[in-house]
Each structure stands twice: as C-alpha cells, then as structure tokens.
Amino acid sequence: LGWGWHRAEQVGGLEVRWTGQHHPAGWDPLPSPEFSLHFTLPEDVSQVSASLQSFYAPRTVSVRIDGLLLGEPRQVATDALATYTWDLPVNAPRGEFVTLTFTVDAALTPESVGLGADQRALALMVDWIRLSR
C-alpha cells in the first residue's frame, strides 16, 4: 500500500480499511486526499474494480494508473459498500511497479460531524480492489 490508508479494522464483520490518512511528513490531505497501491500489472488486465463506501457524505473519486486518468470520476455513496469499475485504456502502463492512485474530493473527521472523538480524516471505506480481464 502507498500513502493514504488507515490500519485495517473490523466493520460490520468485514476487515476493511478507511482512506484519508495524513502523510507522515505532515502534508495536509484535505481537500483532495489520495490513496495508492503499488504492484505489477499483468498485460491482460482491462479493468479495476473496488468495493467502496463514502464516509458521511457522497464523494467523487477519480482513478489514475501512473498518472493516466481511467475514465470519468465516479460518485461513491454513503449507504453501503458498492462495486465501482474503471476500464483501463489500451495505452495504460503495464508491467512491473505501477501505481494505482484514487483521488477523493474530500475527507472529514468523525469528530467534526458529531460522530464521536475519532480525529482520523476519513474519505472512503475500502473492502477490496480487484484487477480483471
């Protein structure tokens, strides 16, 4: 995992991760927090899917692979985890050590919206991310 991820935790019987973590160098992730993954991308992968749920308010999410935008941004809802899919263009980088970056329009702390004392900046809950043909 790259920057932007909080530690895994149990939510509703699932092991998930929240995104929105501050960069350790003190960079403020607001208003556009990012979270990333680094991996080898096989040649035959044509889609990236993710099971996501937004914290507190709907969020707009865009996805890039090594800087190349994958389609249009998607609006992620707050009511439940749902699957969102982005197609990889033919010219998307493939091979060793690519970076998949999700950019979210905002993150909030639960404390700031009256939902307890949690001061973590939260953007999206992520159950899984899948690469497919």
Side-chain angles (χ1 to χ4, degrees):
L1 297 178
W3 297 119
W5 297 89
H6 291 290
R7 293 181 187 266
E9 61 186 272
Q10 293 289 318
V11 175
L14 298 173
E15 185 171 303
V16 299
R17 286 184 183 260
W18 284 100
T19 66
Q21 177 191 40
H22 292 272
H23 190 280
W27 299 339
D28 187 355
L30 305 176
S32 295
E34 292 184 345
F35 57 100
S36 58
L37 298 162
H38 309 288
F39 55 91
T40 298
L41 182 63
E43 293 292 327
D44 60 349
V45 169
S46 62
Q47 290 184 326
V48 175
S49 299
S51 177
L52 308 172
Q53 181 177 345
S54 179
F55 173 71
Y56 192 72
R59 297 284 169 231
T60 301
V61 180
S62 59
V63 180
R64 289 180 165 71
I65 189 159
D66 282 356
L68 178 66
L69 185 63
L70 304 184
E72 296 296 318
R74 304 282 194 282
Q75 181 99 12
V76 176
T78 61
D79 54 343
L81 285 164
T83 300
Y84 299 86
T85 300
W86 291 266
D87 292 326
L88 273 71
V90 175
N91 63 335
R94 296 204 167 44
E96 292 187 32
F97 202 73
V98 298
T99 300
L100 183 69
T101 303
F102 292 75
T103 302
V104 185
D105 60 349
L108 296 169
T109 66
E111 181 182 59
S112 72
V113 294
L115 296 175
D118 190 345
Q119 296 180 3
R120 296 177 299 165
L122 303 179
L124 301 175
M125 180 169 46
V126 180
D127 182 21
W128 50 261
I129 295 173
R130 182 175 299 136
L131 305 173
S132 58
R133 298 179 186 124

